[in-house]
Amino acid sequence: MDCWSDLELHVEFSADDRHRAVHMSDRNRSSEVGVWVDGVRLMVDAWLDQSGYWVGDRFYVLQAAGPEDHPDQQIALGLLGYRILSLVIHDAWRRTTRVFVPDASETWTNPFVRLESDQLHLYADESAVTGDRPDRSVPAESPLP
């Protein structure tokens, strides 16, 4: 961010520096964040977080606005404006994006992803990670487009 532009850029490189995620937001439209991973635009017209993280030098993970009809959904402070959040996982190798939305029994207030072997484990929040209680486990290998 600079003093002459309304645009803010945030770039995150994978640990091996082979992939990059670029977040661009406009200070005049704080709810709009564009995200590109290695040039692939993720989730146009979705409310995405201003930052994310790399998992295993392959998967870029970020939080997104959760479902409005979730029974525990509430308006909350913060960029996304929702208490219950969804997860977006982009596979940089395959150039595919998967979106995981919590069902009515899952309360994802700060969802997190961990990779173990060939599985992505999706956790509701930090205490679930600490206690190793994933809500879901899905194959790491995303389907081909």
Side-chain angles (χ1 to χ4, degrees):
M1 177 168 35
D2 61 42
C3 297
W4 295 277
S5 172
D6 290 330
L7 297 178
E8 182 175 342
L9 290 176
H10 179 79
V11 180
E12 297 192 34
F13 292 92
S14 60
D16 63 4
D17 287 331
R18 294 178 60 184
H19 303 286
R20 73 191 174 293
V22 177
H23 294 246
M24 184 176 72
S25 59
D26 184 333
R27 284 188 267 183
N28 294 320
R29 295 184 207 152
S30 62
S31 63
E32 294 182 23
V33 176
V35 180
W36 293 260
V37 176
D38 295 340
V40 175
R41 176 90 188 257
L42 307 186
M43 306 289 298
V44 177
D45 297 327
W47 284 32
L48 302 174
D49 203 352
Q50 289 182 338
S51 65
Y53 56 94
W54 286 97
V55 174
D57 293 328
R58 175 179 177 179
F59 301 99
Y60 190 68
V61 177
L62 64 152
Q63 296 177 349
E68 291 182 9
D69 62 348
H70 191 282
D72 294 325
Q73 189 62 276
Q74 299 173 12
I75 301 300
L77 295 176
L79 172 71
L80 296 174
Y82 289 97
R83 178 176 180 263
I84 304 299
L85 303 173
S86 297
L87 280 170
V88 176
I89 302 175
H90 181 78
D91 183 338
W93 292 2
R94 290 190 171 219
R95 300 174 64 92
T96 57
T97 303
R98 293 186 277 178
V99 179
F100 295 93
V101 178
D103 65 33
S105 68
E106 298 169 320
T107 306
W108 294 359
T109 55
N110 188 20
F112 187 80
V113 175
R114 222 171 26 189
L115 175 65
E116 290 182 24
S117 184
D118 61 347
Q119 294 286 306
L120 293 170
H121 300 289
L122 285 57
Y123 297 86
D125 55 30
E126 189 175 326
S127 67
V129 173
T130 302
D132 196 26
R133 295 182 315 275
D135 274 357
R136 295 187 205 175
S137 293
V138 297
E141 200 66 34
S142 59
L144 289 171

